Amino acid sequence: MGTTLFNLATNPKWGVVYASNSEANNLTCFEGAGEYGGSTVQGNLAQMRITAISGDTAYPRHLNYSKLAGKPGFDASVKSHSLSTPTEMVVSRDGAKHDVAAFSSSKIGVYEC
């Protein structure tokens, strides 16, 4: 469901609960030698997510897919679509979409439910 929960919202049509959250992933936090000496701290430390909860099943959706500049698979356009620290959520009356305000990235994301 998430390490830190920021907010909850309920889909009025389907009864699905949405939790905006972060997921701490402290398994790999060091990558090795840096370009200019020392070591890098560029691991996958935490993910920002919205988790849909239906019955006893949780479906996490990651909001920050960015890769580090200069690393394989880096795509600069991904940064503009990533959200960080998702807080307030609003679900439309028809249950078709939900909006989420992301505090750290100063953006609003709109997602289909």
Side-chain angles (χ1 to χ4, degrees), residues 36-61:
Y36 304 103
S39 65
T40 61
V41 183
Q42 300 177 355
N44 184 6
L45 201 55
Q47 296 175 342
M48 298 296 144
R49 313 184 314 180
I50 293 176
T51 303
I53 305 145
S54 179
D56 60 355
T57 306
Y59 303 94
R61 178 181 191 155

Side-chain angles (χ1 to χ4, degrees), residues 21-112:
N21 62 83
S22 68
E23 177 69 14
N25 183 19
N26 299 323
L27 300 175
T28 307
C29 59
F30 298 100
E31 282 192 349
E35 288 184 36
Y36 304 103
S39 65
T40 61
V41 183
Q42 300 177 355
N44 184 6
L45 201 55
Q47 296 175 342
M48 298 296 144
R49 313 184 314 180
I50 293 176
T51 303
I53 305 145
S54 179
D56 60 355
T57 306
Y59 303 94
R61 178 181 191 155
H62 301 286
L63 303 177
N64 53 352
Y65 290 101
S66 63
K67 296 212 176 223
L68 296 168
K71 299 293 179 184
F74 175 74
D75 180 357
S77 68
V78 173
K79 182 179 177 184
S80 65
H81 297 291
S82 294
L83 300 177
S84 183
T85 316
T87 54
E88 187 66 36
M89 294 180 292
V90 177
V91 181
S92 63
R93 285 187 212 186
D94 63 1
K97 66 178 184 172
H98 67 274
D99 301 349
V100 59
F103 177 73
S104 294
S105 53
S106 300
K107 297 178 187 174
I108 295 176
V110 178
Y111 299 97
E112 293 181 8

Side-chain angles (χ1 to χ4, degrees), residues 11-24:
N11 187 310
K13 186 170 183 179
W14 308 110
V16 174
V17 175
Y18 301 100
S20 57
N21 62 83
S22 68
E23 177 69 14

